Amino acid sequence: MFFIEAILPLALPKTFTYKVSEAEFHFIQIGMRVMVPFGKNKMYTALVVDLHQIPPTLYEAKEIHQILDEKPIVNLLQIQHWLWIAQYYMCNIGDVFRGAMPSALILESETLLSQRSDQFVDETQLSDEEFLIYEALQHQSSLKVNDVMAILNKKKVVPVIQQLISKNIVQLQEEIQEEYKPKLVKYIRLHENFSSEEKLIQLLDQLKAAKQKELLMYYFQLNAQEKKPISVKQLLSVSQFSSAVLKALVDKFIFEEYQIQEDRINFEGNKIDQNLILSPAQHAAFEQINLAFQTKEVCLLHGVTSSGKTEIYIKQIEEYLKTEQQILYLLPEIALTTQLVSRLTAYFGNQVAVFHSKYSNNERVEVWHQVLSNSEKAKIVIGARSALFLPFSNLGLIIIDEEHEATFKQQDPSPRYHARDAAIVLANSHKAKVLLGSATPSIETYYNAQSQKYGFVEITERFGKAPLPEIELVDLKDSYFRKKMKGHFSLTLIDAIAEALSLGEQVILFQNRRGFSPVLECLTCGNVPQCPNCDVSLTYHKFKNQLRCHYCGHSIAKPTNCHACSSVDLTTKGFGTEQIELELAELFPSKNIKRMDQDTTRGKYSFERIIDSFKNREIDILVGTQMLAKGLDFDNVSLVGIMNADTMLYYPDFRAFERSFQMMTQVAGRAGRSDKKGKVIIQTYNPLHSIIQQVTLNRFDEMYKEQLYERKIYHYPPFYKLIRLTLKHRDFDKLKEGSMWLYQVLAQNLDIPVLGPEEPAINRIRNEYIRTIMIKIPQEKPLGTTKKTIQKILNSFDVIAQYRTIKVTVNVDFY
């Protein structure tokens, strides 16, 4: 009797045993995929993790259906890493498997297939079986894998389907893609031959064609009025001439057309210059990092915003490429990858591969295979947190940029891992090095660096000695009192915006709340419309004229009168990005104002569209939420305004101060990134607050010491590890009783702080009531055994009949 152990892509904590024949047993290797039956009539793709000859005791082992791979597509290091994630983050190994693999590699009987409409299919190139499926798809829009089995009258259909996917004839139903082309705007300028005055006078004398002369005059007029580049479209619309006149001038080399560089950094007109010159500060940092790597596995690079950390990363990547090793470059946001990819491909050409969830299944599978075969095309992998799971065999360096970002932590669905911490463990198993970079490192990382666990390198000056932005505080209390406000803008901010715009520069305004206003209130009886499914008030969205819940999506049309007392006196309280956008439109009617928040960036490429038009200087003022705080780079922004700094500070979370400091510093870092000195205006009711003062004076270490002191007293990381258990159920009393039982058992069995069961600030979402329990594990307690105890208690909780319906999720290091 021969058996294999396999992981199924389901939320199951253990592996399952299947029966194989002797021939199969000798062919199968660990890390191959097999198609297996599970349950009554479902088929899943499972991953082989062990081969043995011991029959299972609790059930009869079923036989596998087929072997899907010729050679392993997952390596042993990966499987060990997945098991570590499952054990450390207390989740099921099945969840990790499902989260790690591109979905095209884990087909199951319910997967839907549909035909790609954009492809021409040469039917003569298809095998008989492929043709049968193709023909069936002509008659109906989609097929399940089960249907394909019925059509071909056999069980081994996965290879056929994979062939069709790789030939681009069929796609998995879940991915309907749109393609994005960055938009290039044509600009016009005078040819450099005519830069001197004599040449210009000569030119005007020589030009005989009246229209061409007139167009030239229009150009001079525009050039005098506007400080910014003149686009072809603008010139033609002002002068009302046809493009033929302009073309004639371009052909005569009087005008030249050009495009503003799209890329984050202009590599000397994007010529591929293989020797990147580091500034002295960068070079010193580069040397120190190499020194740190001789003794430490991890090194933190703490450089102020715009200090040119990316160039140092590029230099590091070069070093590791020489030794033929693979490099993983992790970013917190998919949006940042677009900017960075153009920058690295300009430098390393075809050795860069990109991997994240917005890529189609086909592209992801391709990258997977390239990394697996250690191909030349995927020496450098750039990606968001999911790139961590790729099958690296020879990893040399992991770079984690903006390591403080909360988005590195996956919240839902399970596995709820933190990419930075998981990457450090992954690097350890590969004997690779990790470079963490940030202008505002998280307190845990900085603590590790200060306590000599990590190497530490600092850059204190901006690249090219650009000055740090000047930060000005505006006291809102005082401004309202002295009537120096227009809507939500202080006069100081309005003047600064007007000044920046008159110089042809761009402005970013930051308000961390979307919608028009968070509350609609009746002035007569004080009633506020609430969401029927969640415990929150509805946010008013003026653009769509509706009230919406940001948790479950419930929406109603904006009421004309109060639902409680029928009064028509309704007013809005608080303000979001929409309201700022409308107020700006009144203050600066001629300017182009756009906002960037979750509502305007819903589509796959809407983010890039906004960024591109901001780069091309079509947008004058950009209003946005925290999306703006990520490491984007615009050289023409001279003013950043933070509309209200207090909303972030008074948030019920032990990291509120740290996050506010990071957010404000990062947003402020968007100002004045070239030779101009930027300006930041922070509006606040509390200008003397320590965090706001520390942002103004750029005192990171002061903030760190203060926060660390508080964390120590109140038992928070880095001194304690936190585990949060969230319990959800529709029945309030049952949840209360169940959470109380769980809390008491935990408190009896663990001699460490267990807090709860607590109702969170929002204690009902989608009609489920919520309770949370927090467990704090001190440094000296063994983590593994504590987690085992917690898991045992959760298992026994699951066995109690009346509590079985309560959903429990475990979130380890949830911050």
Side-chain angles (χ1 to χ4, degrees), residues 458 465 513 675 696 753:
E458 211 167 7
K465 298 257 194 303
R513 179 181 276 145
D675 43 8
T696 315

Side-chain angles (χ1 to χ4, degrees), residues 158-440:
V158 178
V160 185
I161 294 171
Q162 300 243 297
Q163 274 293 301
L164 284 167
I165 292 178
S166 65
K167 287 181 182 174
N168 267 344
I169 295 167
V170 168
Q171 64 185 3
L172 299 192
Q173 193 71 32
E174 67 223 33
E175 38 149 7
I176 306 302
Q177 301 279 338
E178 44 167 324
E179 278 305 302
Y180 173 72
K181 305 269 183 298
K183 160 172 111 218
L184 291 167
V185 180
K186 282 188 182 165
Y187 288 95
I188 198 88
R189 62 182 167 211
L190 210 54
H191 203 282
E192 57 225 25
N193 300 349
F194 305 107
S195 47
S196 64
E197 233 170 89
E198 305 97 57
K199 290 274 175 64
L200 268 181
I201 298 165
Q202 231 174 335
L203 168 70
L204 289 172
D205 294 344
Q206 286 166 1
L207 255 187
K208 294 289 177 278
K211 278 187 175 172
Q212 291 177 15
K213 205 167 196 170
E214 208 175 322
L215 187 63
L216 201 56
M217 286 313 193
Y218 272 115
Y219 170 79
F220 291 139
Q221 203 175 332
L222 270 177
N223 206 14
Q225 284 169 2
E226 309 243 351
K227 294 280 192 301
K228 52 186 185 186
I230 296 169
S231 68
V232 170
K233 190 170 145 194
Q234 188 186 6
L235 181 61
L236 293 177
S237 71
V238 170
S239 62
Q240 306 281 313
F241 283 143
S242 71
S243 51
V245 185
L246 182 63
K247 190 174 180 308
L249 283 168
V250 174
D251 291 344
K252 287 182 181 171
F253 295 113
I254 293 170
F255 274 148
E256 59 179 349
E257 286 184 351
Y258 68 102
Q259 286 157 347
I260 284 192
Q261 186 57 44
E262 282 296 283
D263 191 25
R264 240 185 101 160
I265 272 212
N266 183 342
F267 285 102
E268 305 308 313
N270 228 5
K271 71 170 188 295
I272 306 204
D273 183 8
Q274 282 305 337
N275 25 7
L276 183 71
I277 310 295
L278 297 183
S279 70
Q282 285 174 317
H283 188 71
F286 173 70
E287 294 297 332
Q288 282 170 293
I289 292 170
N290 289 342
L291 201 64
F293 276 159
Q294 290 172 9
T295 52
K296 306 265 197 306
E297 299 307 305
V298 185
C299 179
L300 168 65
L301 172 61
H302 176 206
V304 293
T305 49
S306 185
S307 58
K309 293 187 280 290
T310 314
E311 284 81 357
I312 299 178
Y313 300 153
I314 290 180
K315 231 20 184 185
Q316 282 291 346
I317 291 174
E318 272 185 6
E319 294 297 307
Y320 282 88
L321 280 180
K322 287 175 194 161
T323 59
E324 290 295 306
Q325 285 174 301
Q326 293 166 308
I327 293 115
L328 171 61
Y329 193 138
L330 288 181
L331 292 159
E333 285 280 319
I334 292 175
L336 284 180
T337 49
T338 13
Q339 282 204 315
L340 193 90
V341 170
S342 47
R343 198 166 163 181
L344 285 188
T345 40
Y347 205 75
F348 296 110
N350 213 358
Q351 296 177 303
V352 181
V354 184
F355 187 87
H356 56 64
S357 54
K358 290 260 174 99
Y359 266 45
S360 75
N361 256 310
N362 237 351
E363 295 168 304
R364 297 220 296 268
V365 172
E366 210 171 287
V367 173
W368 184 280
H369 285 304
Q370 285 170 355
V371 174
L372 185 68
S373 61
N374 203 349
S375 117
E376 282 300 313
K377 285 200 182 118
K379 283 288 181 211
I380 307 165
V381 179
I382 304 179
R385 52 175 186 249
S386 55
L388 198 66
F389 293 119
L390 286 166
F392 295 103
S393 51
N394 183 13
L395 193 60
L397 175 70
I398 301 182
I399 295 173
I400 303 173
D401 199 9
E402 306 295 342
E403 64 83 31
H404 62 276
E405 278 297 339
T407 34
F408 275 129
K409 170 77 176 159
Q410 169 137 327
Q411 294 300 345
D412 285 295
S414 171
R416 297 179 176 80
Y417 63 97
H418 195 300
R420 178 193 61 211
D421 303 347
I424 291 174
V425 173
L426 177 70
N428 195 16
S429 62
H430 277 275
K431 302 280 179 282
K433 303 291 184 192
V434 182
L435 180 56
L436 307 172
S438 171
T440 49

Side-chain angles (χ1 to χ4, degrees), residues 496-508:
I497 295 176
E499 186 186 342
L501 292 176
S502 68
L503 294 170
E505 291 162 354
Q506 290 164 300
V507 179
I508 289 181

Side-chain angles (χ1 to χ4, degrees), residues 720-761:
Y720 280 68
K721 289 266 187 217
L722 304 187
I723 297 180
R724 185 171 65 195
L725 308 178
T726 309
L727 295 89
K728 296 181 183 176
H729 198 273
R730 284 172 175 257
D731 179 343
F732 183 78
D733 295 321
K734 182 181 264 190
L735 177 70
K736 189 174 169 186
E737 197 185 309
S739 57
M740 208 56 221
W741 183 93
L742 187 58
Y743 164 71
Q744 283 164 346
V745 178
L746 283 165
Q748 282 161 13
N749 287 294
L750 300 166
D751 54 342
I752 52 179
V754 179
L755 312 179
E758 181 65 48
E759 285 191 23

